[in-house]
Structures are given as C-alpha cells and as structure tokens.
Amino acid sequence: MLAITNTSEEPFYFILTGIPGFEPMHIWISIPFCCLYIISILGNTTILAVIQIEPSLHQPMYLFLSMLALTDLGLTLTTLPTVMQLLWFNVREISFEACFAQFFFLHGFSFMESSVLLAMAYDRFVAICRPLHYASILTENVIGRIGIAIIIRCVLAVLPSLFLLKRLPFCHSRLLSHSYCLHQDMIRLVCADTRVNSWYGFGLVLLIIVLDPLLILVSYGLILHSVLGTASQAERFKALNNCLSHILAVLILYVPMVGLSMVHRFARHASPLVHVIMANVYLLSPPVMNPIIYSVKTKQIRQGIFRLLCRGKAH
C-alpha cells in the first residue's frame, strides 16, 4: 500500500466527512449546527462579560467559571470553521498542517475542560469543607497558578501524541470519519506500527478520562461526608444545590467523552453515523449546555446578565 509522509513533495491533505448518508441535506443540517454554535459563542461570551463587569463576581468560584467559559469558547471556535464550510460549501479538503493544528487545539481544549472541572471541584470542596479558610486558600495568586498549571498540563499531554503521530507515514487513504481532525480518527490512516501511540493514548485516558473524574468523585465524597455529618437539613440542601451546576457540567463532559472512547475502541464496525453523532455530541454538548446551566442555576449570574442587558438598552 502506498504510504505518504509529511516530507513528501506532493501536498498532502485529508478529506473530511459530513453526515454519512445525508450529504444532499447538508444545507438543512447546517441550520441546527449554526444555531448551536451561535448559542455557544453568545452564551460563553456573555458569561465572561458578566464576570468581568460585576465586581461582586470576582471570587474564586466565578474565576474558575470564566476559565470554563474560555475553554468552551476555544473548543467551539476550533471546530466551527471546518464543520460549517463543509456543510455550507462542501469544502472537504484540509491540509496536513491545518489538520494537525486543529487536532492540537481540539484535544487541548477538551483536556483543559476536564482540568478546569477538577479545579472547580476543589473550589467546592474548600468552600464547603473549609469555609473559614476559603479566602486564604484560594487567593488570586493561587487561582492564577492553577490556571497556568492547567495550560501546561494540557499542552504537555497533547504535544507528545501530536509528534508521535506526525512522524508516521500515512497510507493512500486520506478519508477521515468526521468534519474535524480527531486523533482516534487520524491514527486509523497510518500504515505503520502504532503501538507506541496506542500505549501513550492509553496513558492519557488513565490520566485524564479516569483520574480527573475519580478525583472529582473523591472531592464530592468528602463534601457529602462533611455536609451530612455537621449541617442541618436546610444547610445540606443549600450546599448540595450550590454544587448542582458543577455536577451537571461534569456529567455533560464525561458521559459523551467515555461514550466516544468506547465507540472508537469497541464498536469500530458500527454505522459511521453512530461515530459522527457521538463525536458531535461530545464536542458540542459542553460549550452549548454549560452557559445555559450556570445561567439558570446560578442566581448571581442571572442577575448579572439582567444588569448587562439593562445597560445595553440604556445605551
């Protein structure tokens, strides 16, 4: 089989795939996709604007929420160009370099989302279990360092997998299964030994998809132990209600993430439509749903949005 590497003089490109079996309807399918992207961009930019404008929201919980909104915005803007140009204009080709750039940012922001949710779980643990020390533990400097550590962690996690994949020769087939560049999809086109890549990918799964949710579960176990052991029924309800938005955000990220990983590993021969739907749910659910969840469940965010809208009307 013919192998092509990135050192080939002939320009190498990948071919993206839209919705299998529904190609004639792409222009109609683009309408809900476009609406979801608009909701994500408007929702997350509104959250960021509200937190920046309202001094009362310059607290650890909302600073972490702004990190989550930035991550969701990055995830949205990473996939938007290739998805919409394919659905609108049937532009299916993407260059070798552009595909790897999208792969880096897509997986980087996805891992960053997991890391931010872990940091938010720590914030809830300190707020509920160590309320008297909350302000002294989560200072602005500490939050800044956590943010930098999250970025470094995600870059160091994604870069090796990028370089490990880029060094390998790609076979004659250039057809990807999605309208963006996923590592699980790209590695199928390699005609060489990918055991190192597979082992590294397995390590990443353990480090992020397994370890992060496990640590989040531990934090909530400690929160439940603390709340059930000392608080009154009203205080228990208030504490758990404060955590509800974060719990929903965790479920919205990890359920599709685990589902997509299971499909790629154990259902490779399933209908291509199943893979496409799972991948789109995984990538679109958190950026679209997180702003809605926090707007509905967090009183301070709702009030901030209302004041922001009132200022806009006044001007």
Side-chain angles (χ1 to χ4, degrees), residues 113-146:
E113 179 121 3
S114 178
S115 301
V116 172
L117 288 175
L118 177 58
M120 293 174 81
Y122 176 67
D123 167 75
R124 293 297 82 208
F125 165 75
V126 176
I128 293 171
C129 299
R130 303 286 187 272
L132 298 178
H133 304 285
Y134 183 64
S136 60
I137 293 174
L138 287 172
T139 63
E140 287 190 6
N141 284 337
V142 170
I143 294 169
R145 288 173 188 169
I146 290 173

Side-chain angles (χ1 to χ4, degrees), residues 33-306:
F33 272 88
C34 188
C35 291
L36 290 173
Y37 278 122
I38 290 171
I39 291 169
S40 174
I41 292 169
L42 289 179
N44 287 295
T45 51
T46 301
I47 295 285
L48 288 169
V50 167
I51 293 172
Q52 183 179 7
I53 291 170
E54 294 291 331
S56 61
L57 298 182
H58 295 175
Q59 301 173 27
M61 173 183 173
Y62 301 107
L63 294 177
F64 285 124
L65 179 56
S66 66
M67 290 184 195
L68 187 66
L70 276 172
T71 303
D72 283 334
L73 204 54
L75 197 58
T76 297
L77 296 176
T78 298
T79 59
L80 186 150
T82 54
V83 172
M84 296 314 299
Q85 74 178 6
L86 191 151
L87 294 176
W88 280 342
F89 309 113
N90 198 34
V91 177
R92 301 182 62 196
E93 294 181 3
I94 181 171
S95 69
F96 185 89
E97 293 77 13
C99 196
F100 272 89
Q102 187 180 51
F103 152 63
F104 172 76
F105 286 108
L106 195 157
H107 288 282
F109 281 121
S110 178
F111 292 160
M112 202 175 293
E113 179 121 3
S114 178
S115 301
V116 172
L117 288 175
L118 177 58
M120 293 174 81
Y122 176 67
D123 167 75
R124 293 297 82 208
F125 165 75
V126 176
I128 293 171
C129 299
R130 303 286 187 272
L132 298 178
H133 304 285
Y134 183 64
S136 60
I137 293 174
L138 287 172
T139 63
E140 287 190 6
N141 284 337
V142 170
I143 294 169
R145 288 173 188 169
I146 290 173
I148 293 170
I150 288 172
I151 294 171
I152 293 172
R153 180 198 191 207
C154 295
V155 170
L156 292 180
V158 178
L159 273 181
S161 59
L162 187 149
F163 288 123
L164 284 171
L165 183 60
K166 199 171 182 180
R167 69 185 175 85
L168 296 174
F170 286 86
C171 300
H172 184 64
S173 175
R174 307 177 181 190
L175 184 63
L176 297 173
S177 304
H178 304 288
S179 47
Y180 34 77
C181 300
L182 282 173
H183 177 265
Q184 304 97 308
D185 197 19
M186 295 168 69
I187 202 168
R188 292 186 308 104
L189 306 182
V190 170
C191 46
D193 187 358
T194 59
R195 279 179 295 181
V196 175
N197 303 65
S198 297
W199 279 109
Y200 185 79
F202 180 70
L204 275 186
V205 167
L206 291 179
L207 178 66
I208 294 173
I209 300 180
V210 175
L211 182 61
D212 283 5
L214 188 61
L215 291 175
I216 291 171
L217 279 175
V218 169
S219 70
Y220 273 106
L222 295 172
I223 287 170
L224 280 173
H225 181 266
S226 176
V227 168
L228 296 176
T230 59
S232 66
Q233 188 170 352
E235 289 173 329
R236 291 173 193 171
F237 178 78
K238 183 180 178 181
L240 294 175
N241 190 54
N242 287 338
C243 296
L244 184 58
S245 298
H246 180 255
I247 293 169
L248 291 174
V250 169
L251 292 175
I252 285 169
L253 174 67
Y254 288 115
V255 171
M257 182 186 285
V258 171
L260 181 64
S261 297
M262 296 291 284
V263 165
H264 273 287
R265 287 189 176 273
F266 304 112
R268 294 179 183 177
H269 301 295
S271 167
L273 189 60
V274 173
H275 290 262
V276 169
I277 290 173
M278 287 299 300
N280 283 313
V281 168
Y282 159 59
L283 291 174
L284 286 172
S285 292
V288 171
M289 294 303 300
N290 285 339
I292 296 173
I293 289 169
Y294 279 96
S295 299
V296 171
K297 292 298 299 175
T298 309
K299 182 181 177 182
Q300 293 85 344
I301 296 293
R302 282 202 311 272
Q303 292 173 341
I305 292 173
F306 180 73

